[in-house]
Amino acid sequence: MDNDGRRPDAADIGMAGCGWLLIVAVVAVPGLILNDGPLTVYLVVVGGVIGFLWARRRLLR
């Protein structure tokens, strides 16, 4: 059976969401450790973009 047109189900979306959250948390840790607010915000945004691209690639696979 061909799965090229398969839509993501709840498990795929849940896995992508958890992966995105994990990426954001790991990337933001240095800012939290240093207790630097602006650095933490910057790293959360960077982690969010990286996580979004990872989740998008995972869901479109």
Side-chain angles (χ1 to χ4, degrees):
M1 201 161 159
D2 194 10
N3 281 341
D4 287 337
R6 183 178 80 84
R7 295 188 62 182
D9 60 0
D12 292 332
I13 294 171
M15 182 65 152
C18 289
W20 175 82
L21 191 59
L22 181 65
I23 291 170
V24 171
V26 167
V27 171
V29 163
L32 293 171
I33 290 173
L34 295 173
N35 199 19
D36 186 0
L39 177 64
T40 303
V41 170
Y42 173 75
L43 292 175
V44 165
V45 170
V46 169
V49 170
I50 293 169
F52 173 75
L53 293 174
W54 176 84
R56 189 175 132 223
R57 187 187 69 206
R58 178 161 176 81
L59 288 177
L60 295 178
R61 204 180 319 162

